[in-house]
Amino acid sequence: MKLKMRQTLIGLLFITVLAGCGRVGTNQLVEGKVNVVTSFYPIYEFASAIGGENANVINLLPTGVEPHEWTPRSNDIITASKAQLFFYNGAGLEGWVPSFLKGLSQDSKVKTVEVSKGISLIEAGDEADGHDHSAEASSNSEPAAHKSDPHTWVSPKSAMQIAKNIKDSYVQVDPAHSADYESRYEKLADQLNKLDAKFTSELAKTSKKEIVVSHQAFGYLCRDYGLTQHAIMGLSPDAEPRAQDIIELSKVVKQENIKYIFFEELVSDKLARTLAGETGVQTLVLNPVEGLTKQEEQNKDNYFTLMEKNLQNLILALQ
C-alpha cells in the first residue's frame, strides 16, 4: 500500500513538473471563442450542443477509454489552464480532479464547474428501493473514493440538470452571447424532456422491473423509472465480485425469471457472459454512455441514439 501511494505521489509530482515546462498540447485552443475542457464524453456532447459556434470544446478522455481509471496527461493540465471553462461530473467519478486543479498554472482564469451539482445523489449502497443490489456490496474491494453513485447522466432526468449547469456557466463567462446559449440549451432540454417522457411511458408498461447489469451504473435510471438493478460489479467496473456473490445473483436471475444479463461496450463482458451461461439466459448491451467506442464514433452515435438503444433493450428484457 505504501509503495502504491508513493508511486501515485511521484506520478502526480511528475505531472506537475511537466505542466510547468510549457509543452504545447495536441488539443488546440481557439482565440475568439470560449475554450472549454470536459472530463468525459456526455459532458462534451452537452457542452458542444449548448456552446455551438461560440465555443471550442475539448474532451480529455480519448475514444474507447472507460473513465473510471483514466488519468490526465501533463498536456491536459496546460490546455485546461488556458481555457475559460473546465466541466467535470464530480460525485466521485474523476478521482484525479483535485490533483489536476492543483496543477493548473497560477495565473489560470479557468472556471471549474462540477456539473452534477443540484442532482439528488444516490449514496453508495442506497438504491432506488433503499437496498444495495450490487454483488460487490458485501465485499471489501469497492474503492473508498466512491461515497456516492457518480453515474448521474445515465438518467435523462438528471441529464437535464447537467445541461442547465453547463448553460448557466456559459452565460456567466460569456454574457454577450447569453441569448445564443439559452436558445441552444432550450433545444437540448426539449430533446432530453422528450427522451425522459419516452422512458417514463415505455418502462411503465413493462411487466418486469428487475435488471441484472455488469457494473452498478444504472442507479439513477432505475430510481427515475421504477426499476431495480442487480450488479455483478460495484460502482467501479474493475472491482471483482466473490464467487458467492455470483451464486446469489444466479438465484436472483432464476427467481425473477430474468431472460437477459446486460453488459457494456467499454467494460469486459466476461463476467456477464459467465453468469448468462450458468443461468441459461442471453446477454444484451445496456450502455452507461461513459464514452464512445471507435465503432460508435464512426456510426455517428451520440447520447440520444445510445439512450434510445438502451430503452429498446430494456423493453425487450423486461417483457
Side-chain angles (χ1 to χ4, degrees), residues 3 29 55 67 70 78 115 117 132 142 147 254 265 299:
L3 178 61
L29 298 161
W70 179 84
I78 295 166
V115 299
K117 283 288 184 194
D132 189 341
E142 183 70 39
K147 294 192 175 108
K254 286 165 185 168
E265 299 280 18
N299 293 346

Side-chain angles (χ1 to χ4, degrees), residues 184-198:
R184 288 187 289 258
Y185 162 72
E186 289 300 332
K187 286 179 188 170
L188 179 62
D190 184 54
Q191 280 184 284
L192 287 169
N193 273 309
K194 284 176 179 168
L195 187 64
D196 169 48
K198 195 169 179 182

Side-chain angles (χ1 to χ4, degrees), residues 200-251:
T200 301
S201 63
E202 294 297 322
L203 293 177
K205 298 173 193 169
T206 62
S207 57
K208 295 177 186 172
K209 303 296 176 186
E210 313 270 334
I211 60 172
V212 176
V213 297
S214 59
H215 158 212
Q216 194 183 346
F218 303 94
Y220 295 91
L221 186 82
C222 289
R223 179 178 75 180
D224 291 341
Y225 304 105
L227 306 179
T228 299
Q229 73 173 338
H230 301 269
I232 300 172
M233 294 168 280
L235 293 171
S236 288
D238 61 340
E240 289 287 331
R242 302 173 307 177
Q244 70 191 69
D245 298 327
I246 298 292
I247 292 166
E248 286 300 313
L249 268 179
S250 298
K251 287 180 188 172

Side-chain angles (χ1 to χ4, degrees), residues 32-85:
K33 293 194 177 191
V34 176
N35 285 291
V36 181
V37 172
T38 61
S39 63
F40 79 127
Y41 176 73
I43 303 175
Y44 168 78
E45 181 175 332
F46 294 167
S48 298
I50 297 166
E53 64 188 16
N54 302 112
N56 172 51
V57 186
I58 296 163
N59 191 35
L60 295 181
L61 198 72
T63 300
V65 175
E66 208 281 332
H68 286 268
E69 297 305 315
W70 179 84
T71 51
R73 306 161 305 168
S74 57
N75 284 347
D76 298 325
I77 297 175
I78 295 166
T79 302
S81 292
K82 295 173 183 173
Q84 282 76 53
L85 286 167

Side-chain angles (χ1 to χ4, degrees), residues 27 30 97 121 138 164 188 192 203 228 245 266:
N27 290 322
V30 177
V97 162
L121 296 179
S138 55
K164 183 180 183 300
L188 179 62
L192 287 169
L203 293 177
T228 299
D245 298 327
L266 291 177

